[in-house]
Amino acid sequence: MQVFKLYFKLLRSVATSLLLYSVIFVGITVMQTVNRSDDTTGFMQEKIDTAIVNYNEDSPLVQGLIEYLSEYCDFADLGDEEDELQDALFFRQVEYILTIPYGFGEEFIAGLNVGVEKKTVPDAVYATTVDEAINTYLNTARMYLETIPDITEEELVTYVNSDLKVQAQIEIYGKADSNNHSFYMYYTNFAAYIIMSGCLIGVSLIMLSFHNTNIRRRNLVSPITLKSLNIQLMEGNLIFVLGYDLLLIVLGYILNADKTINTNVLMHWLNIIVFSVSALSISYLAAMLVKSKQANEALSVILPLGLSFISGAFVPQFLLGDSVLHFASFAPVYWFVKANDTIASISTLNITNAKPILYYMVIQLGFAVAFFALSMVISKNRMQREY
Amino acid sequence: MIVDVKNLVKRYDKLVALDHLNLFVEEGEIFGLLGPNGSGKTTAINCILSLLKYDKGTIEIFGKPMSQDAYDIKRNIGIIMQNVAVFDELTVYENISYFCSLYIKDKSEVKRLTQEAIEFVSLEDFTKFHPKKLSGGLLRRLNIACGIAHKPKLIILDEPTVAVDPQSRNKILEGIKKLNADGATIIYTSHYMEEVEQLCSRISIIDKGKVLATGTKDELKAMISLGEKITVEAYNLQEEQLDDLSKLTNVSSLEYSDNCLEIKSKKGKNNLIDVLDYLQKNEINFGKIYTQMPTLNDVFLEITGKELRD
């Protein structure tokens, strides 16, 4: 077991890097968990500080609109001096300035194409809410105008107000476990990056040492068989990777406030182990292709970051473009994230809804087999060339 | 016989790297394989160790055929490669201990042998150092310690002193002599003729994959016609005088430039006296005189028509 023992001695040289990665991972996870803690049971409408300049105060339509908008806006009367309004906007006294032009109500009733004017601060997040409210009110009013040509302005306001008072009721299902699901989905998705970096830092570096021509020759002239050497190396790799998985699983359990271990959590853990096997295979292949330790260090930063990003480990897959996801589907990280997302989306796992998850895991194992096979072919070719 | 190589042929496509190479190494000797770079020394060693497949010939070590899975043979061989083969991530002690443990199962024995190897190469003060912190010479000594820690019966050293400072080189050469004195048979390859001449009891000169000559250094030198080289600091020699000198008994060739007369003479007696007699009789002023016996380089030059370092 000399080679096996040597494996862990060599691993010591990258222990600092691995520890650093793990600490950063824990730090980011803690920060994200705090930020993401979602105890929302209800919803409260934000109101935007809005200055209103109304040149058509007498119009019932305008009065109705302002009344409706008061649900979305905190109105302030700052007069109509252009400079003062601009200053108020600049100093964020208000975020939105709504100007209703002269004769707006009459012209709207007459069917003319008129509009209100607005000014907002750049990148005003909530401005869209006000825009939406104005559009909803005026579009509803226009619909009545087109449907009932002889309608009076007062009638129109009554109809619109009565329609817009109707609100949909929403009930949230599966709320009980959502925190647990959300934590593990985020945690395991991000773990893809850490597992892959860990494998490339640890496994590739050690394999590179053994692939060094001079060391390989020294091992080959010793009485240890090639088979025994490879088996001991593989044992070392598996124990390292499974140990790293265990560390991540324990960290996840400690960091998550919800200590429930249900089938979903177990599936997340299984997915981590399956993915780490494919990450191990990638590391094997990388060690075959990369020529130097410096190149491997660069690869251990770029490859996990790149693949994790395009596969949706950092940002949800639904936010990524189809072409990006299509490209990402040629890497196991994509299927790992997909499996995590699917596990998190299911409240109660059973044989039927677990099928796609198992399918994604099989794909990851398929990648592992392919990468291992490719590594073996390269290794065999190289040995034949040198022998 | 420890090593017996017969008719070894190794081809790389059209290039014949080893051309019916024959070698034998007796127990207890330091056998030198001398040849210029690219002559086939390392290829021969790699074939002997089954690191390279060969096209023809037989190799026997300790009287048994050598192959990739001849682990009982490998157990008794120590190899020191041309390039340093150690793990950068391990300390000096850990490197020696690991390579020793590939041969020896008993832990306490590995510990003892590792310590002995460290003392043998004088690396006691560097046991906790990583290879990157060692100088070139110390690194070579570590490389040697990794190859000999398990006390092999046969030690193969492939150009172990390349790019090594003179102090470390001397230490290495002394160490090799001591290993041999302790009972190990040594195969030593080099293109440094001085090292081979100083160290080896028997030498094969190799070029273009062929053994050109084998014997002790004296036997090799006896094979060539050159007796000695006489160098005289002589002033204003005329053409006729040079012509007369070239006609002296045993003179095979002479060169004269910058007041330096260099005469190569065949084997024979009184060669120097004949030259000095001529200079005195002709009242030719001369200064320093020295003679030099043939070297292995002269042997190589006469056999191949080129210098060892060409």
Side-chain angles (χ1 to χ4, degrees):
Chain A
M1 296 299 275
Q2 303 87 344
V3 179
F4 182 76
K5 283 181 199 162
L6 174 71
Y7 185 96
F8 290 96
K9 279 185 185 170
L10 293 174
L11 202 59
R12 265 186 343 208
S13 66
V14 289
T16 316
S17 304
L18 290 173
L19 197 70
L20 199 68
Y21 267 80
S22 306
V23 168
I24 292 169
F25 175 54
V26 170
I28 292 174
T29 308
V30 169
M31 277 176 1
Q32 290 292 330
T33 311
V34 171
N35 289 341
R36 276 171 178 245
S37 60
D38 185 12
D39 296 327
T40 313
T41 51
F43 158 78
M44 211 172 80
Q45 179 67 50
E46 275 288 324
K47 287 193 176 185
I48 300 167
D49 294 324
T50 306
I52 185 157
V53 184
N54 190 354
Y55 293 118
N56 196 192
E57 287 177 356
D58 299 336
S59 163
L61 178 70
V62 172
Q63 286 164 3
L65 174 66
I66 291 170
E67 192 186 328
Y68 176 67
L69 288 180
S70 62
E71 285 178 29
Y72 301 92
C73 306
D74 275 335
F75 285 116
D77 186 4
L78 303 177
D80 61 354
E81 283 297 321
E82 187 64 23
D83 289 346
E84 280 183 26
L85 288 168
Q86 290 288 0
D87 284 350
L89 207 56
F90 181 80
F91 292 110
R92 300 293 193 272
Q93 206 177 333
V94 292
E95 283 188 50
Y96 201 103
I97 299 172
L98 176 65
T99 306
I100 296 166
Y102 290 107
F104 172 78
E106 290 77 13
E107 287 177 6
F108 187 87
I109 295 291
L112 296 174
N113 191 13
V114 286
V116 293
E117 292 167 17
K118 70 155 187 178
K119 277 181 188 148
T120 63
V121 290
D123 306 322
V125 180
Y126 299 114
T128 317
T129 318
V130 184
D131 293 345
E132 284 293 321
I134 294 168
N135 285 338
T136 306
Y137 193 90
L138 294 180
N139 286 342
T140 312
R142 191 156 318 271
M143 189 189 71
Y144 274 105
L145 268 178
E146 283 170 3
T147 317
I148 313 167
D150 299 330
I151 194 166
T152 64
E153 204 170 337
E154 287 77 11
E155 283 172 338
L156 177 67
V157 172
T158 312
Y159 287 151
V160 172
N161 284 349
S162 119
D163 283 358
L164 295 181
K165 270 179 190 162
V166 179
Q167 288 187 335
Q169 291 295 316
I170 296 168
E171 270 184 63
I172 300 170
Y173 288 98
K175 181 67 200 157
D177 247 0
S178 64
N179 270 353
N180 203 13
H181 288 191
S182 166
F183 172 83
Y184 272 109
M185 186 185 78
Y186 168 75
Y187 182 85
T188 46
N189 278 354
F190 193 75
Y193 168 66
I194 296 299
I195 292 169
M196 218 165 151
S197 298
C199 281
L200 281 164
I201 291 169
V203 175
S204 291
L205 199 88
I206 291 166
M207 296 309 290
L208 262 175
S209 292
F210 277 94
H211 290 162
N212 175 295
T213 311
N214 301 316
I215 287 174
R216 200 174 65 245
R217 286 183 166 199
R218 186 158 250 167
N219 282 324
L220 284 174
V221 296
S222 75
I224 188 169
T225 65
L226 196 60
K227 189 180 166 189
S228 166
L229 188 134
N230 286 332
I231 287 173
Q232 289 183 53
L233 276 178
M234 185 51 98
E235 282 170 357
N237 282 326
L238 280 175
I239 286 177
F240 161 63
V241 168
L242 291 177
Y244 205 52
D245 288 348
L246 188 68
L247 176 77
L248 292 176
I249 287 169
V250 171
L251 276 177
Y253 183 75
I254 293 168
L255 291 173
N256 192 12
D258 187 348
K259 304 292 181 201
T260 317
I261 298 176
N262 53 25
T263 45
N264 290 58
V265 173
L266 290 174
M267 285 299 265
H268 275 300
W269 291 353
L270 178 66
N271 198 30
I272 283 180
I273 293 168
V274 168
F275 174 70
S276 63
V277 174
S278 55
L280 177 63
S281 69
I282 291 174
S283 307
Y284 255 78
L285 185 61
M288 282 289 164
L289 300 173
V290 168
K291 299 279 179 200
S292 70
K293 287 179 184 172
Q294 287 76 14
N296 185 63
E297 277 165 20
L299 192 73
S300 66
V301 174
I302 295 163
L303 195 68
L305 260 181
L307 287 181
S308 299
F309 192 78
I310 63 166
S311 299
F314 301 142
V315 285
Q317 283 190 341
F318 66 83
L319 291 179
L320 297 168
D322 288 343
S323 53
V324 174
L325 289 175
H326 182 70
F327 182 68
S329 67
F330 292 98
V333 190
Y334 170 83
W335 300 99
F336 172 68
V337 172
K338 214 167 167 55
N340 282 333
D341 291 351
T342 312
I343 295 166
S345 70
I346 297 170
S347 304
T348 315
L349 269 170
N350 55 43
I351 293 170
T352 315
N353 58 24
K355 267 185 185 169
I357 299 163
L358 295 172
Y359 171 70
Y360 301 145
M361 288 182 186
V362 169
I363 293 176
Q364 290 176 61
L365 290 174
F367 273 107
V369 171
F371 288 137
F372 275 128
L374 196 57
S375 305
M376 282 165 74
V377 169
I378 294 170
S379 170
K380 201 174 176 184
N381 278 347
R382 193 173 289 171
M383 282 190 79
Q384 276 175 347
R385 212 169 46 235
E386 286 179 8
Y387 181 59
Chain B
M1 203 177 295
I2 295 284
V3 179
D4 188 12
V5 178
K6 284 179 184 155
N7 283 318
L8 192 63
V9 177
K10 170 69 188 170
R11 288 192 192 91
Y12 293 106
D13 295 325
K14 285 179 184 173
L15 177 82
V16 182
L18 298 176
D19 188 1
H20 295 88
L21 187 98
N22 289 291
L23 289 176
F24 67 91
V25 181
E26 298 283 2
E27 188 170 359
E29 70 177 350
I30 302 181
F31 178 80
L33 202 54
L34 179 68
N37 290 327
S39 59
K41 300 185 296 292
T42 301
T43 306
I45 296 298
N46 286 340
C47 287
I48 289 171
L49 292 168
S50 283
L51 288 171
L52 265 182
K53 198 161 63 177
Y54 46 91
D55 300 290
K56 203 179 155 191
T58 58
I59 296 168
E60 284 188 2
I61 300 178
F62 305 123
K64 295 174 187 169
M66 180 60 178
S67 63
Q68 275 187 315
D69 52 2
Y71 300 110
D72 53 337
I73 296 176
K74 287 182 175 180
R75 198 171 294 283
N76 290 305
I77 298 177
I79 172 79
I80 291 116
M81 299 279 191
Q82 195 170 343
N83 297 317
V84 176
V86 293
F87 288 98
D88 289 338
E89 298 82 3
L90 300 183
T91 63
V92 164
Y93 185 92
E94 287 168 338
N95 264 301
I96 301 171
S97 174
Y98 165 69
F99 287 113
C100 184
S101 70
L102 292 177
Y103 297 81
I104 310 285
K105 298 279 174 224
D106 183 52
K107 270 186 186 176
S108 57
E109 185 67 357
V110 169
K111 210 171 171 182
R112 188 183 66 78
L113 290 171
T114 303
Q115 200 53 48
E116 273 187 31
I118 287 168
E119 284 164 21
F120 183 79
V121 293
S122 307
L123 283 176
E124 294 95 326
D125 297 335
F126 305 95
T127 50
K128 289 183 179 170
F129 279 53
H130 283 84
K132 280 188 177 169
K133 300 263 177 186
L134 299 178
S135 67
L138 293 176
L139 203 55
R140 289 275 166 186
R141 275 145 70 178
L142 168 62
N143 196 34
I144 291 173
C146 291
I148 54 106
H150 58 288
K151 302 255 185 217
K153 287 180 188 163
L154 171 65
I155 301 171
I156 299 173
L157 298 107
D158 187 12
E159 309 227 25
T161 57
V162 171
V164 169
D165 60 279
Q167 195 191 347
S168 288
R169 177 178 295 195
N170 287 337
K171 257 200 166 355
I172 290 170
L173 298 182
E174 280 168 26
I176 292 166
K177 280 181 188 168
K178 192 170 179 308
L179 285 170
N180 180 242
D182 290 346
T185 305
I186 314 275
I187 298 179
Y188 188 89
T189 81
S190 181
H191 63 271
Y192 295 127
M193 57 160 188
E194 303 89 353
E195 283 182 6
V196 175
E197 206 167 340
Q198 181 190 337
L199 198 67
C200 300
S201 47
R202 214 160 51 84
I203 301 155
S204 274
I205 294 178
I206 178 173
D207 190 38
K208 293 179 182 170
K210 273 185 182 173
V211 172
L212 303 176
T214 301
T216 63
K217 57 187 173 189
D218 292 332
E219 284 170 349
L220 289 172
K221 287 172 188 176
M223 285 177 192
I224 59 170
S225 60
L226 180 69
E228 62 192 317
K229 273 191 278 187
I230 302 165
T231 310
V232 183
E233 193 182 357
Y235 306 105
N236 304 319
L237 284 177
Q238 304 302 310
E239 277 299 319
E240 308 95 74
Q241 292 167 331
L242 288 173
D243 200 37
D244 291 343
L245 279 165
S246 67
K247 285 174 185 164
L248 290 175
T249 320
N250 290 334
V251 171
S252 59
S253 69
L254 66 78
E255 277 177 32
Y256 180 67
S257 64
D258 299 330
N259 295 327
C260 184
L261 175 68
E262 192 178 284
I263 298 169
K264 286 184 180 173
S265 59
K266 294 171 198 161
K267 289 182 184 100
K269 288 178 181 174
N270 304 327
N271 292 340
L272 178 62
I273 293 169
D274 290 348
V275 173
L276 292 177
D277 270 354
Y278 179 83
L279 294 175
Q280 274 181 330
K281 276 177 192 166
N282 291 278
E283 295 178 341
I284 296 165
N285 292 329
F286 60 92
K288 292 173 192 163
I289 303 166
Y290 55 92
T291 64
Q292 194 186 350
M293 298 307 287
T295 62
L296 289 177
N297 191 42
D298 296 316
V299 177
F300 191 81
L301 181 66
E302 192 161 319
I303 297 172
T304 64
K306 62 182 183 185
E307 301 250 359
L308 251 172
R309 293 192 178 99
D310 275 0

